[in-house]
Amino acid sequence: MNIFFPKEQDNEARFSLTGETAQKFLKKNINLSVEENIDFQDTLLRELIKENSINILSREEGLNSANIVCNLNKLSLEDVDKINPDALVISFLDPFNEKKLIEEFKNKSISSISMELIPRTTRAQKMDALSSQANLAGYSAVIIASNLLEKALPMMMTAAGTISPSKVFIVGVGVAGLQAIATAKRLGARVEAFDTRPVVEDQVKSLGARFIKIDLGETEETNQGYAKALTEEQIKKQQEGMKKVCANSDIVITTAQVFGKPAPKIITSEMVDAMQPGSVIVDMAVASGGNVEGSKIGEIVEVGGVKIIGNANLPGEVPTHSSQVYANNIFNLIDEFWDEENSSFKYDLNDEILSNCLVTYKGDYINPSVKERNK
Ligand code: NAD
């Protein structure tokens, strides 16, 4: 059994193998190889490579010889051409937008697992890469925003005067939002938060933040706990209710997502205009359409003195830890479905985790939503 870990593209600083997970794979007598010319910061991983416990291969050789290819960001179509039929690819795949890529997997009879589609169940928590990365993204959002803000976050009472705490408003209280609240609180800010799912109110309060109540009428969530899209009228009510809070905030962090759909546009240009010059907005949904009017992927846009950050790779700001938890997610997934006797990955299609995250297998689509959308 050969597992290959190719180099990530586009200045991605995260990697899907760590020294720690490599040791666990090696204990299972699995051969590991990584792509050549990667500058690893992980000292244990470097040692394992130096002592030849892990092979170094060219991208082509690695993809050609692998039974399993693991990475973070999706491979290119040219890469897929080099992978053997019957091999398994595990990565974030963006399967609802990358139709061509997953069609290629299907046509070539390559199995593929999309890390986005690991279900949000208790048993799957150790493999849940959306959560492991969103948690660190929430942390990074606050750190980046506070660096750009020309104010300190905590209250300080000094002989030279009292500094009042900065105000942080978090919109969307999922995994990223909760960590953003916790981080801003640890830094001493005054934190407020809003989510369309009223069940999060207690979680917000338990972190010492204030929950902003906006009456939107009935809002729904899926059985996996994801918010359903609001109507246009509800979005208008939400914007109305948030206008004043945004105007009074030094930092606004938006994390609002609706599963399988573009992110809702909830901060209008008018709301940005009403904010104080020097304030900072982080649009954490920038890659899926954006919550903030005017935000741009990979850029800091300045509008009337308000900085709008569109960093689409916030977990990549803390690559050591985001690699650590992603590599653990990958190991836990393979370990969960590992057949010790035959030293192979066990495709148990009746398993609720695998039947969800498996996108293609033996020339067919497996995940029900992917299957439906590609009929
Ligand atoms: P997400 O990234 O899909 O969305 C982020 C947040 O945005 C959500 O809280 C959502 O309610 C909110 N949102 C959507 N539209 C909004 C709007 N117009 N205004 C304000 N907020 C809006 O969320 P996530 O972090 O992936 O979490 C989704 C759900 O899954 C949550 O219920 C979470 O608790 C649950 N979850 C469960 C597990 C588990 O049980 N293993 C693990 C992780 C997450």
Side-chain angles (χ1 to χ4, degrees):
M1 171 61 59
N2 297 318
I3 307 186
F4 177 58
F5 297 83
K7 194 172 180 170
E8 298 292 333
Q9 307 295 305
D10 300 330
N11 299 323
E12 175 63 77
R14 296 171 292 169
F15 196 64
S16 47
L17 182 70
T18 57
E20 199 187 314
T21 56
Q23 282 183 322
K24 291 186 191 169
F25 280 123
L26 292 170
K27 259 196 194 149
K28 290 179 167 298
N29 293 320
I30 295 173
N31 297 323
L32 301 177
S33 48
V34 294
E35 186 174 338
E36 61 196 355
N37 299 327
I38 304 178
D39 186 15
F40 292 113
Q41 303 299 315
D42 181 330
T43 28
L44 180 56
L45 194 53
R46 280 157 90 140
E47 271 169 33
L48 291 169
I49 292 169
K50 211 165 150 196
E51 68 185 37
N52 295 326
S53 299
I54 299 174
N55 303 314
I56 294 193
L57 299 177
S58 70
R59 195 170 184 89
E60 178 142 9
E61 282 171 327
L63 293 171
N64 251 309
S65 59
N67 303 104
I68 303 180
V69 179
C70 296
N71 54 322
L72 252 144
N73 300 308
K74 50 194 175 267
L75 297 170
S76 67
L77 289 173
E78 296 85 77
D79 285 334
V80 178
D81 258 354
K82 297 178 185 117
I83 299 174
N84 283 316
D86 297 330
L88 167 65
V89 174
I90 307 176
S91 77
F92 282 115
L93 286 175
D94 195 8
F96 299 123
N97 294 312
E98 291 291 337
K99 287 193 169 189
K100 189 103 194 72
L101 181 70
I102 62 167
E103 198 181 348
E104 195 73 6
F105 284 138
K106 180 179 82 88
N107 292 344
K108 284 201 72 188
S109 211
I110 296 170
S111 304
S112 57
I113 285 180
S114 167
M115 293 303 279
E116 293 96 330
L117 295 177
I118 298 277
R120 313 309 274 280
T121 58
T122 308
R123 192 181 134 230
Q125 258 174 354
K126 60 185 178 184
M127 313 162 209
D128 182 354
L130 275 185
S131 291
S132 72
Q133 302 304 295
N135 176 45
L136 287 161
Y139 166 84
S140 293
V142 176
I143 300 299
I144 288 180
S146 60
N147 270 336
L148 282 182
L149 188 72
E150 288 159 12
K151 288 183 175 181
L153 260 56
M155 183 173 121
M156 293 182 199
M157 290 166 93
T158 76
T162 298
I163 294 172
S164 38
S166 291
K167 295 180 208 115
V168 177
F169 181 32
I170 312 290
V171 186
V173 190
V175 179
L178 282 171
Q179 185 55 256
I181 296 174
T183 305
K185 281 299 293 181
R186 282 184 208 117
L187 290 172
R190 224 182 70 196
V191 185
E192 296 174 308
F194 173 72
D195 196 296
T196 53
R197 294 178 300 121
V199 292
V200 303
E201 182 173 349
D202 286 346
Q203 297 169 25
V204 169
K205 285 184 181 160
S206 73
L207 288 169
R210 185 169 157 251
F211 187 75
I212 301 293
K213 289 198 173 170
I214 304 170
D215 184 9
L216 300 176
E218 204 170 317
T219 52
E220 291 180 89
E221 58 180 89
T222 67
N223 55 3
Q224 292 252 338
Y226 288 110
K228 285 202 178 165
L230 298 182
T231 62
E232 253 177 60
E233 197 187 325
Q234 285 176 314
I235 292 268
K236 287 238 161 65
K237 276 190 190 165
Q238 176 179 356
Q239 288 165 338
E240 207 47 51
M242 285 183 11
K243 215 169 179 175
K244 221 165 152 196
V245 189
C246 286
N248 286 327
S249 298
D250 298 296
I251 295 176
V252 175
I253 296 177
T254 68
T255 79
Q257 301 272 5
V258 176
F259 187 72
K261 296 213 164 125
K265 200 63 86 198
I266 40 188
I267 310 266
T268 60
S269 299
E270 200 190 318
M271 290 159 83
V272 176
D273 285 346
M275 290 176 70
Q276 292 298 315
S279 316
V280 179
I281 304 176
V282 184
D283 186 352
M284 290 188 64
V286 70
S288 51
N291 293 142
V292 184
E293 230 173 305
S295 68
K296 289 208 176 97
I297 292 185
E299 287 186 30
I300 299 174
V301 179
E302 202 159 328
V303 184
V306 177
K307 296 183 184 80
I308 308 173
I309 303 172
N311 186 332
N313 187 0
L314 286 163
E317 298 293 328
V318 281
T320 302
H321 284 145
S322 45
S323 300
Q324 178 191 328
V325 288
Y326 185 76
N328 283 341
N329 293 145
I330 291 277
F331 174 79
N332 291 335
L333 172 68
I334 294 175
D335 186 42
E336 184 78 15
F337 297 102
W338 191 246
D339 180 348
E340 290 285 351
E341 226 167 80
N342 300 307
S343 194
S344 65
F345 191 87
K346 197 168 57 208
Y347 291 94
D348 179 358
L349 298 191
N350 293 319
D351 184 278
E352 60 149 6
I353 298 175
L354 205 58
S355 57
N356 245 293
C357 65
L358 198 59
V359 173
T360 57
Y361 176 61
K362 286 197 188 286
D364 213 347
Y365 293 122
I366 303 298
N367 171 280
S369 307
V370 172
K371 206 171 194 154
E372 181 64 29
R373 288 182 193 215
N374 291 283
K375 255 204 245 176

